[in-house]
Amino acid sequence: TELAKAYAAEDVDAILAGAGENMVRTIPGGFEFKNKEENRKYLEDFFKANDNIKIKLEDFVATMDKVAIRFTFESDVVAPSEYVSYDATGSKAKVNGYAIFHIEDGKLVRSWNSWDRLALAESAGYKLHKADAPEKAEAAAETEAPATTEEPAKAEDAPKSD
């Protein structure tokens, strides 16, 4: 598709050409970009952080004013991103995701994007470990201060210095 080609070419202007001025994009991590300029800043950061981008369109479904895609994304991560909570520099990103686009008057006005953040982190060498809840609870109990019924000291009770 033209959009995938624009991403591969790192062409921010081509990506935003079909967007309305107040296009809203939501991505994982709780980020929401509410106009073309915020979207431009995000895309510039994205392209600064990723090189050799490949996007494979797995599914494409369109209705009257909505388009849904499922995709596979791959890139070389070459710099940290403001929108990723860990540094994946030096890794090869590979992730599956989807996007839903809302179109009005031929312009993209809203996009909801999601991808497998755990798989993305794992492709950068990070591993998720399950915490051992019983051991953590025991350790926390050992370090807690004992309960007391004494009232806290008042300022006027404090020793006075000369």
Side-chain angles (χ1 to χ4, degrees):
T1 70
E2 294 303 310
L3 188 58
K5 289 177 187 173
Y7 269 90
E10 301 183 15
D11 189 343
V12 174
D13 291 328
I15 294 167
L16 293 177
E21 284 302 315
N22 294 313
M23 188 270 250
V24 177
R25 175 193 312 259
T26 302
I27 65 168
F31 295 102
E32 188 168 88
F33 311 103
K34 297 184 180 179
N35 57 49
K36 262 190 176 178
E37 280 313 303
E38 288 183 10
N39 276 282
R40 178 177 298 283
K41 181 181 175 208
Y42 162 69
L43 290 167
E44 288 171 350
D45 176 84
F46 176 83
F47 291 127
K48 178 189 76 163
N50 294 279
D51 229 352
N52 300 318
I53 295 168
K54 294 177 185 78
I55 299 174
K56 180 180 178 192
L57 194 58
E58 305 287 352
D59 285 303
F60 177 95
V61 178
T63 64
M64 294 172 34
D65 63 349
K66 298 267 188 333
V67 174
I69 63 169
R70 187 173 62 87
F71 60 88
T72 301
F73 168 86
E74 292 184 47
S75 77
D76 296 325
V77 182
V78 295
S81 170
E82 181 178 334
Y83 305 102
V84 177
S85 60
Y86 54 88
D87 186 358
T89 304
S91 68
K92 291 202 174 282
K94 183 172 183 179
V95 67
N96 296 311
Y98 70 86
I100 301 172
F101 305 107
H102 181 196
I103 313 295
E104 283 182 6
D105 299 323
K107 293 284 186 182
L108 176 61
V109 296
R110 185 78 170 93
S111 85
W112 298 269
N113 303 270
S114 186
W115 47 83
D116 186 342
R117 294 176 66 201
L118 178 58
L120 191 58
E122 287 177 340
S123 73
Y126 292 89
K127 298 292 179 208
L128 178 66
H129 296 282
K130 183 177 178 184
D132 191 358
E135 284 183 20
K136 282 192 168 206
E138 288 172 20
E142 290 173 9
T143 60
E144 282 183 16
T148 179
T149 57
E150 295 179 16
E151 291 189 15
K154 296 178 184 169
E156 65 250 23
D157 295 338
K160 298 196 177 13
S161 62
D162 296 351

